[in-house]
């Protein structure tokens, strides 16, 4: 399983420099391949647990952020608002996956959930380092693990990716 | 006013034409995409997104089921939102079918969309999809081929679809093949706007086309239509310098090896290719250089060296005739030298031919010094100053000598037509009536033929080496043989004054044995 701690540490360092206004030689998070790997891992987890009987023993409802992106509306928002939405959503997912981790008993499922949690945590730390204030965002509820993971994947593919692709720091480095 | 109206009309026409062109072009593009989706998408309605905020859905109805667009309703619902309805338009299709379209101009991505189609309140189609996963883009524009400056390569470049946020998610497929060939290769490239095609043949025209698709991680969709093929010829082939240099080296090495072989076997090859043609020039001196190969002329002008040497032709077959040597002894009688027993035995007992040969060999063997002119000079001296022979004779050696004596016993008889040179000794010396029985060690010569009237005397008949003159008119021929040449000179007796009484016939002695015979009446070559 891929562990994103390595690149995320570099990511944190880079973003701290970016926050201070210092030019950063390397911005790995701006590389879409980093987030693509997070997305693929989330999708793999979703596919692996789709056939899980009885929801893999997970019951209850989970609060999740909305994942829909209207480009017309999205582009009207500034980067900070976008980051706020992303950060809030990542926080919700972290909480939900934490609750799921405690519910599952199968080791294989636990490993997958742990991986995704790690990825979310890394992204959340990057966003928190930007000192973005927490804001209530629109939410929805899901009642199964597969839905949760599905929403999680969509969130990463959509808003998170859009935010990082168009971040001003990454735009300076892109050619 | 009129001008302004005209200008407005002109602008309107241009815009209308441009729109019409774009509409026509758009219609063609739509038709292509519809055809693609009809082939690629099994579900209905078939939906595709062309940009960031649009969605086009359509379905096809058979002829018997076709109706007006009002009969259909297209209901779509985003997750966690209320449903909405899309207006439907109908277009005719091939085969009497009809296509019904719904186009949304504002969409939400990354969220499930439920679509339901009703015909007369009857649900005919139901589908849930993500719009960011059904992209069907236009083919890349401005496909251009350029040369990279390297053989076997072409550079393809294009303009990516202008979709925001999706540049790094686009995947391209480049197809290239030799012009006129249906077998080509395909290469994929991601998030790029150019590609270098390698491994192409030099000096060949290639056709290249490209299509685009989203990579499927965040966005996905269908392969776009192929662009129109672009043709370009690769750089002409050039000889690989390494191959050229290796070829030169190998050819040089082979050339050197062949030269070595030729030089080591040059004599053999020269003999085979250029054999020496034997020429008889060395044997016929002057025949070719002087007389130009004219043998007749050469024969006429030749110095007779050939004729003087009959031994050249007959040396191995015919023995030389007997050498006749005559000498006058003026000195004291020398002790008679005993003939070599071989010669005496040979002469006394063997046949005439063999005696002739033996005498010849004996005479040669007795010569101690080749003093060819010595007896001649002495004989001349005797004639000039006839004096009794003294013991300081000429004969200081043991040379044997024979004299020929022609006697007119019978008068006019002449020798038959015999060639003197060819006659064996016994013939030369034979006489029908006279017998020169000698008590010499030479033995007696048999007179078998009885042809001539020549008589002979040998020096050995006078053991005391006294050589009495024979008589008036006695002539003789002195022969001196030095072993290299023979010298003949006619001599006469003391009455040399009376030379007029007799005719001395002289002839050049030719040491030859010709086959022809002289006619009768030819003077006898020997002097007498």
């Amino acid at each position: 399983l891929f562990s994103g701690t390595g690149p995320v540490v570099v990511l944190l360092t880079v973003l701290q420099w970016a926050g201070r206004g210092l030019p950063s030689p390397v911005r790995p998070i701006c590389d879409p391949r980093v987030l693509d790997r997070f997305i693929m891992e989330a999708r793999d987890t979703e596919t692996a647990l789709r056939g899980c009987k009885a929801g893999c023993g997970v019951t209850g409802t989970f609060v999740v952020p909305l994942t829909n992106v209207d480009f017309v509306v999205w582009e009207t928002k500034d980067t900070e608002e976008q980051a706020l939405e992303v950060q809030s959503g990542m926080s919700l997912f972290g909480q939900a996956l934490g609750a799921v981790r405690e519910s599952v008993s199968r080791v294989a499922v636990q490993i997958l959930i742990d991986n995704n949690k790690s990825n979310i945590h890394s992204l959340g730390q990057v966003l928190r380092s930007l000192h973005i204030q927490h804001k209530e965002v629109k939410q929805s509820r899901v009642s199964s693990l597969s839905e949760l993971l599905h929403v999680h994947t969509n969130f990463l593919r959509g808003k998170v990716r859009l935010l990082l692709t168009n971040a001003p720091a990454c735009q300076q480095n892109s050619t | 006013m009129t001008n302004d109206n005209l200008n407005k009309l002109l602008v309107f026409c241009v815009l209308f034409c441009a729109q019409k062109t774009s509409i026509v072009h758009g219609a063609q593009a739509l038709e292509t995409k519809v055809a693609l989706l009809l082939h690629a998408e099994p579900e209905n309605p078939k939906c595709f997104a062309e940009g960031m905020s649009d969605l086009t859905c359509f379905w096809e109805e058979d002829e018997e089921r076709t109706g007006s667009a009002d009969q259909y309703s297209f209901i779509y619902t985003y997750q966690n939102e209320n449903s909405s309805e899309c207006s439907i338009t109908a277009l005719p299709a091939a085969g009497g079918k009809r296509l019904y379209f719904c186009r949304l101009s504002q969409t939400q991505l990354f969220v499930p969309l439920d679509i339901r189609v009703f015909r007369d309140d009857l649900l005919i189609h139901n589908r849930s999809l993500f719009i960011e996963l059904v992209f069907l883009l236009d083919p890349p524009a401005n496909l251009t081929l350029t040369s990279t400056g390297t053989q076997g390569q072409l550079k393809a470049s294009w303009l990516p679809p202008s979709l925001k946020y999706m540049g790094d998610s686009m995947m391209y497929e480049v197809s290239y093949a030799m012009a006129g060939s249906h077998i080509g290769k395909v290469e994929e490239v991601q998030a790029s706007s150019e590609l270098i095609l390698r491994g192409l043949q030099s000096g060949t025209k290639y056709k290249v086309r490209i299509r685009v698709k989203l990579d499927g991680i965040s966005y996905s969709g269908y392969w776009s239509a192929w662009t129109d093929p672009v043709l370009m010829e690769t750089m002409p082939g050039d000889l690989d310098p390494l191959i050229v240099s290796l070829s030169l080296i190998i050819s040089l090495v082979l050339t050197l090896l062949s030269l070595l072989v030729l030089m080591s076997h040059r004599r053999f090859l020269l003999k085979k290719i250029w054999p020496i043609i034997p020429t008889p020039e060395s044997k016929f001196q002057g025949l070719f250089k002087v007389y130009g190969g004219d043998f007749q002329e050469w024969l006429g002008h030749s110095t007779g060296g050939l004729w003087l040497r009959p031994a050249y032709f007959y040396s191995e077959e015919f023995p030389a005739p007997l050498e006749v040597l005559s000498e006058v002894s003026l000195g004291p009688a020398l002790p008679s030298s005993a003939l070599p027993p071989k010669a005496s035995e040979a002469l006394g007992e063997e046949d005439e031919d063999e005696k002739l040969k033996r005498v010849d060999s004996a005479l040669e063997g007795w010569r101690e010094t080749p003093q060819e002119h010595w007896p001649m000079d002495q004989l001349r001296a005797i004639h000039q100053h006839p004096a009794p022979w003294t013991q300081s004779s000429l004969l200081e050696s043991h040379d044997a000598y024979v004299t020929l004596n022609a006697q007119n016993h019978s008068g006019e008889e002449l020798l038959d037509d015999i060639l003197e040179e060819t006659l064996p000794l016994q013939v030369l010396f034979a006489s029908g009536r006279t017998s020169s029985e000698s008590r010499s060690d030479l033995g007696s010569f048999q007179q078998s033929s009885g042809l001539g009237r020549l008589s002979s005397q040998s020096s050995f008949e006078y053991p005391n080496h006294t050589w009495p003159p024979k008589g008036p008119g006695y002539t003789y021929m002195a022969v001196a043989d030095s072993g290299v040449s023979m010298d003949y000179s006619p001599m006469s007796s003391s009455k040399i004054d009376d030379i007029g009484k007799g005719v001395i016939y002289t002839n050049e002695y030719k040491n030859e044995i010709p086959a022809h015979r002289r006619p009768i009446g030819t003077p006898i070559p020997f002097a007498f």
Side-chain angles (χ1 to χ4, degrees), chain B residues 321-339:
Chain B
L322 179 67
E323 300 165 1
V324 178
L325 176 66
S326 68
E327 196 171 55
V328 175
S329 173
L330 298 176
L334 295 174
S336 63
S337 59
L339 279 175

Side-chain angles (χ1 to χ4, degrees), chain B residues 196-215:
Chain B
I196 295 177
L197 305 172
R198 304 173 199 272
L200 307 178
Q201 290 187 11
S202 303
T204 309
K205 191 170 276 188
Y206 279 86
K207 63 176 181 181
V208 180
R209 54 181 188 170
I210 188 172
R211 62 180 182 179
V212 65
K213 180 188 173 185
L214 290 165
D215 61 1

Side-chain angles (χ1 to χ4, degrees), chain B residues 346-365:
Chain B
L347 291 171
E349 298 171 7
E350 297 176 357
D351 292 336
E352 291 80 7
D353 286 338
E354 295 185 4
K355 286 179 189 174
L356 182 67
K357 294 179 187 177
R358 298 287 180 181
V359 169
D360 189 13
S361 61
L363 287 173
E364 291 183 1

Side-chain angles (χ1 to χ4, degrees), chain B residues 1-210:
Chain B
M1 288 295 287
T2 306
N3 288 337
D4 290 337
N5 291 336
L6 284 174
N7 289 335
K8 287 177 185 176
L9 184 62
L10 184 63
V11 170
F12 177 75
C13 287
V14 169
L15 289 172
F16 179 75
C17 291
Q19 280 188 351
K20 191 176 180 183
T21 304
S22 65
I23 289 169
V24 170
H25 180 73
Q28 288 178 347
L30 178 64
E31 188 177 347
T32 306
K33 288 179 180 178
V34 166
L36 275 169
L37 276 180
L38 285 173
H39 178 74
E41 179 57 62
E43 292 190 50
N44 283 307
K46 305 179 194 307
C47 299
F48 61 93
E50 294 175 296
M52 301 298 293
S53 301
D54 63 271
L55 179 70
T56 303
C57 292
F58 68 93
W59 65 97
E60 192 180 40
E61 291 283 357
D62 295 334
E63 189 175 359
E64 57 267 14
R65 291 190 179 183
T66 57
S68 64
D70 297 333
Q71 293 177 329
Y72 297 91
S73 57
F74 186 94
I75 308 300
Y76 64 97
T77 308
Y78 288 106
Q79 191 179 44
N80 302 323
E81 288 190 8
N82 296 330
S83 298
S84 301
E85 187 171 355
C86 174
S87 60
I88 297 173
T89 57
L91 288 175
K97 297 180 180 180
R98 294 193 78 176
L99 293 169
Y100 300 93
F101 286 88
C102 165
R103 184 174 176 84
L104 301 176
S105 58
Q106 189 175 359
T107 57
Q108 294 186 33
L109 278 65
F110 308 104
V111 66
L113 175 66
D114 290 328
I115 297 172
R116 285 176 294 170
V117 178
F118 295 93
R119 182 177 65 215
D120 297 327
D121 297 329
L122 181 64
L123 183 65
I124 57 173
H125 299 301
N126 187 11
R127 185 183 175 186
S128 176
L129 54 88
F130 284 88
I131 296 176
E132 75 277 2
L133 300 181
V134 292
F135 275 102
L136 180 53
L137 305 175
D138 290 331
N142 294 355
L143 176 61
T144 309
L145 294 176
T146 55
S147 175
T148 61
T150 308
Q151 285 187 19
Q153 287 186 2
L154 280 176
K155 181 180 176 182
S157 59
W158 55 90
L159 195 64
S162 57
L163 285 177
K164 210 173 178 181
Y165 313 123
M166 299 181 190
D168 54 358
S169 299
M170 292 201 181
M171 183 169 61
Y172 303 92
E173 194 174 69
V174 180
S175 167
Y176 58 98
M178 286 191 286
S181 171
H182 297 289
I183 301 172
K185 292 183 180 179
V186 169
E187 282 197 32
E188 283 192 4
V189 62
Q190 196 156 1
S192 178
S193 61
E194 62 183 30
L195 176 67
I196 295 177
L197 305 172
R198 304 173 199 272
L200 307 178
Q201 290 187 11
S202 303
T204 309
K205 191 170 276 188
Y206 279 86
K207 63 176 181 181
V208 180
R209 54 181 188 170
I210 188 172

Side-chain angles (χ1 to χ4, degrees), chain B residues 152-461:
Chain B
Q153 287 186 2
L154 280 176
K155 181 180 176 182
S157 59
W158 55 90
L159 195 64
S162 57
L163 285 177
K164 210 173 178 181
Y165 313 123
M166 299 181 190
D168 54 358
S169 299
M170 292 201 181
M171 183 169 61
Y172 303 92
E173 194 174 69
V174 180
S175 167
Y176 58 98
M178 286 191 286
S181 171
H182 297 289
I183 301 172
K185 292 183 180 179
V186 169
E187 282 197 32
E188 283 192 4
V189 62
Q190 196 156 1
S192 178
S193 61
E194 62 183 30
L195 176 67
I196 295 177
L197 305 172
R198 304 173 199 272
L200 307 178
Q201 290 187 11
S202 303
T204 309
K205 191 170 276 188
Y206 279 86
K207 63 176 181 181
V208 180
R209 54 181 188 170
I210 188 172
R211 62 180 182 179
V212 65
K213 180 188 173 185
L214 290 165
D215 61 1
I217 299 175
S218 287
Y219 306 95
S220 185
Y222 311 92
W223 278 111
S224 71
W226 289 104
T227 58
D228 291 332
V230 177
L231 296 169
M232 182 158 186
E233 190 169 340
T234 53
M235 283 178 63
D238 201 8
L239 286 175
D240 191 0
L242 179 64
I243 293 174
V244 171
S245 60
L246 284 175
S247 303
L248 283 174
I249 291 169
I250 289 170
S251 60
L252 188 65
V253 168
L254 288 174
T255 306
L256 286 173
L257 283 174
S258 60
L259 278 174
L260 280 171
V261 169
L262 282 172
M263 291 304 292
S264 61
H265 295 88
R266 63 181 182 279
R267 289 182 184 175
F268 174 75
L269 288 171
L270 278 174
K271 277 186 183 177
K272 289 292 179 185
I273 297 170
W274 213 325
I276 299 172
I277 302 171
T279 171
E281 205 168 321
S282 61
K283 304 296 180 186
F284 299 88
Q285 292 183 3
L287 172 59
F288 297 101
K289 290 181 182 175
V290 180
Y291 299 99
D294 191 341
F295 197 67
Q296 295 275 354
E297 210 171 302
W298 179 78
L299 281 177
H301 289 86
S302 69
T303 55
L306 185 64
W307 303 106
L308 291 175
R309 291 190 296 274
Y312 176 75
F313 292 110
Y314 307 106
S315 59
E316 295 180 358
E317 300 176 5
F318 300 92
L322 179 67
E323 300 165 1
V324 178
L325 176 66
S326 68
E327 196 171 55
V328 175
S329 173
L330 298 176
L334 295 174
S336 63
S337 59
L339 279 175
K342 182 172 75 174
S344 60
E345 291 174 1
L347 291 171
E349 298 171 7
E350 297 176 357
D351 292 336
E352 291 80 7
D353 286 338
E354 295 185 4
K355 286 179 189 174
L356 182 67
K357 294 179 187 177
R358 298 287 180 181
V359 169
D360 189 13
S361 61
L363 287 173
E364 291 183 1
W366 288 330
R367 274 190 303 279
E368 293 180 357
T369 56
Q371 298 175 1
E372 50 194 336
H373 297 294
W374 178 73
M376 296 303 139
D377 296 334
Q378 297 300 323
L379 287 171
R380 289 195 190 96
I382 290 170
H383 290 143
Q384 290 173 3
H385 305 285
W389 293 357
T390 59
Q391 277 208 333
S392 58
S393 66
L394 303 173
L395 287 179
E396 294 180 356
S397 64
H398 299 289
D399 293 339
Y401 49 91
V402 178
T403 61
L404 296 174
N405 186 13
Q407 297 176 1
N408 297 324
H409 293 128
S410 60
E412 306 298 324
E413 289 183 14
L414 295 174
L415 286 174
D416 289 339
D417 50 338
I418 47 176
L419 207 57
E420 296 69 17
E421 295 87 352
T422 59
L423 291 176
L425 182 60
Q426 69 279 13
V427 176
L428 292 173
F429 291 101
S431 172
R433 282 153 288 173
T434 60
S435 65
S436 30
E437 297 177 357
S438 72
R439 294 159 298 171
S440 66
D441 295 338
L442 288 174
S444 61
F445 293 89
Q446 305 219 358
Q447 303 158 7
S448 57
S449 58
L451 295 175
R453 287 175 275 116
L454 296 172
S455 65
S456 65
Q457 286 179 336
S458 73
S459 61
F460 295 96
E461 293 180 10

